[in-house]
Amino acid sequence: MRQKLIALSFIFYNMALCPAAAQVVETDLDDLDDEDGIEVIDDDDEEDDNLADVQEGFDFPEALTDANLDSLMSQYMSKTYLSTAGDCEMLSQNPDFPSEVYIERLSRMPTVMEMAYNDVVRSCIDRYMVRLRRQVSYMLGAANFYMPIFEQALDTYQLPLELKYLPIIESALNPTAVSHAGATGLWQFMLATGRAYGLEVTSLSDDRRDPVKSSMAAARYLRDLYQLFGDWNLVIAAYNCGPENINRAIRRSGGKRDYWEIYPYLPKETRGYVPAFIAANYAMTYYCEHGICPMTSKLPVKTDTVMVSRNITFQQVAQACDLDVDMVRSLNPVYRRDVVPGLSAPSVLRLPVNDVARFIDMEDSIYAMAGQQTLKRQEVEVEERPTPQPRPKQRATKQRATKRQGRSGGSASYATARRGDSLGAIARRNHTTVAKLKKLNGLRGDKITVGQKLRVK
């Protein structure tokens, strides 16, 4: 029985602006020290010398690094559906604005979450708008693929929609991203956390890489964190470093429950996490004011799903449906080895909607081809070599032959005891031993009687 899931159509995303409140939050950078294992080091990648002291106190999230850009642009979605806008000329330099402009712009963003401004936030904004301008251009185009999925998940659990920008600082919108700590996917779930929220991981599949499943899991996790802390800034921070580190920072701060007040007691990357989140919201809204051109995105084809009950490879699917194997791979990032493990459990295969019917029509032949090209042997014959028998010695052969002759009923010899005979005398006359005489006749002692018949062989 074939089951189809709800078709997932990608649509273009447009953002509207409406008034909201913003705050200017002061951060006491003098509180940043080496106490409790919180290390302060110089950042060699400063964009602005005026912000050097600010950047010493925190690390930028891993996704905000130049190394991510090349891997992002090599993805099939990027190469196929994103291109440089021909009618937009990106400025080579970032325009300089006073702090009042940033404060005013943040205040106009339609958000429930606090979008405060300070030097730390400014440093993260400048990183996006100066050093990572091309990455912002990419993410603006890629947002058309993923933002509808994020918004649907967040809306399902009635969470603030501005949380849709969290994957920007988590993975830079790379569904196959893996951090140095092993966090995986758009939402960067660790293995244990992902499994706690229903994301299954095997050698062949990883639900953390599934945009829909991981987005629903992330929404549930964010909901649970808000029930725990009741403050969205603390929720964002806890998403990065875990609830236990936030509780530890709260205790060290004397019980304060404001992110900016516990800021000095947080791990270095978490200090830059909420500012980076605010900066991501700003960058995705005011990119035009900074002369950044979004990549032109061509709307991907609509997709639908089929349930697969056999193990099949992406290459087999692509060959049967006349598709680019890279397209099949990009539509199914959940599968880690280009194999749909339908034999273990019915598995979802996503294809362009026009190719789903073709797959269904050719399903039997695809399964037959998959059976002929099995990835692993199901049954293996073992050829056993006969064990060579050791060559017996000649004497042992004669002894065994004598025993076999006795057991088979061959002739036996007897002697009659005479007056004055002993077992030793009888044994010598018959070329045997006393021990053999006792064994053949069942004797325990040496006593015999005249006329007694004894078997001698």
Side-chain angles (χ1 to χ4, degrees), residues 157 189-201 206-208 213-214 216-225 243:
Y157 292 94
F189 272 103
M190 294 296 290
L191 182 62
T193 307
R195 283 178 170 164
Y197 283 85
L199 299 179
E200 297 183 1
V201 179
D206 190 340
D207 286 347
R208 296 176 296 173
K213 290 181 179 179
S214 64
M216 297 300 288
R220 293 195 300 273
Y221 185 34
L222 291 167
R223 176 201 61 187
D224 292 347
L225 288 175

Side-chain angles (χ1 to χ4, degrees), residues 190-393:
M190 294 296 290
L191 182 62
T193 307
R195 283 178 170 164
Y197 283 85
L199 299 179
E200 297 183 1
V201 179
T202 69
S203 297
L204 295 179
S205 65
D206 190 340
D207 286 347
R208 296 176 296 173
R209 295 163 50 141
D210 186 294
V212 177
K213 290 181 179 179
S214 64
S215 296
M216 297 300 288
R220 293 195 300 273
Y221 185 34
L222 291 167
R223 176 201 61 187
D224 292 347
L225 288 175
Y226 187 76
Q227 292 173 353
L228 180 62
F229 293 108
D231 179 273
W232 283 114
N233 280 343
L234 295 183
V235 167
I236 296 298
Y239 192 92
N240 173 252
C241 68
E244 61 281 353
N245 283 319
I246 300 302
N247 287 327
R248 186 179 300 115
I250 291 173
R251 289 194 301 270
R252 290 174 175 173
S253 69
K256 297 176 181 178
R257 299 184 66 84
D258 180 89
Y259 171 81
W260 297 106
E261 291 183 332
I262 69 171
Y263 180 90
Y265 307 98
L266 294 169
K268 287 191 66 177
E269 183 175 331
T270 308
R271 295 179 204 161
Y273 198 74
V274 170
F277 174 74
I278 296 172
N281 274 266
Y282 177 91
M284 298 296 284
T285 305
Y286 294 109
Y287 58 90
C288 188
E289 284 79 352
H290 289 262
I292 295 178
C293 296
M295 281 193 164
T296 301
S297 56
K298 182 173 62 176
L299 193 65
V301 293
K302 293 182 178 181
T303 63
D304 200 352
T305 58
V306 291
M307 299 301 294
V308 175
S309 59
R310 306 284 181 85
N311 288 357
I312 56 176
T313 67
F314 288 169
Q315 186 63 46
Q316 291 163 350
V317 174
Q319 181 179 345
C321 298
D322 194 21
L323 295 172
D324 186 339
V325 69
D326 286 335
M327 170 181 278
V328 179
R329 185 179 296 114
S330 70
L331 292 177
N332 298 274
V334 64
Y335 301 119
R336 307 169 70 178
R337 302 286 187 269
D338 286 6
V339 177
V340 185
L343 196 59
S344 301
S347 302
V348 174
L349 174 66
R350 184 174 296 281
L351 294 171
V353 68
N354 293 334
D355 294 293
V356 170
R358 185 186 306 177
F359 178 90
I360 294 174
D361 291 340
M362 301 183 63
E363 190 169 7
D364 292 339
S365 60
I366 294 174
Y367 287 162
M369 178 175 61
Q372 296 172 359
Q373 303 173 359
T374 55
L375 303 175
K376 295 183 296 184
R377 294 175 295 177
Q378 296 179 344
E379 186 177 356
V380 179
E381 294 184 358
V382 178
E383 181 178 351
E384 297 184 359
R385 293 182 59 186
T387 304
Q389 298 294 328
R391 189 172 183 178
K393 295 182 179 179

Side-chain angles (χ1 to χ4, degrees), residues 33-140:
D33 51 32
D34 294 334
E35 185 180 5
D36 297 322
I38 300 176
E39 182 184 9
V40 180
I41 60 174
D42 290 336
D43 189 340
D44 294 333
D45 297 325
E46 299 159 355
E47 289 83 20
D48 188 338
D49 292 339
N50 295 330
L51 296 175
D53 292 337
V54 176
Q55 295 177 359
E56 284 180 355
F58 70 92
D59 287 339
F60 289 106
E62 192 172 342
L64 300 188
T65 59
D66 300 308
N68 281 306
L69 184 59
D70 291 338
S71 63
L72 290 171
M73 296 308 299
S74 66
Q75 292 182 43
Y76 177 83
M77 285 290 191
S78 304
K79 294 186 294 185
T80 306
Y81 298 114
L82 297 180
S83 59
T84 303
D87 58 349
C88 180
E89 184 177 353
M90 185 177 295
L91 299 181
S92 59
Q93 293 184 342
N94 179 50
D96 188 26
F97 299 105
S99 297
E100 291 76 17
V101 173
Y102 292 104
I103 296 170
E104 189 271 337
R105 288 174 179 171
L106 287 169
S107 70
R108 289 194 288 112
M109 294 174 60
T111 63
V112 172
M113 301 173 64
E114 178 184 80
M115 297 290 165
Y117 177 85
N118 54 34
D119 287 344
V120 183
V121 173
R122 172 66 182 273
S123 178
C124 291
I125 291 176
D126 285 351
R127 189 173 184 88
Y128 274 123
M129 298 307 187
V130 178
R131 182 165 184 167
L132 302 178
R133 293 171 69 81
R134 287 184 60 225
Q135 189 164 336
V136 171
S137 177
Y138 158 81
M139 290 186 294
L140 287 165

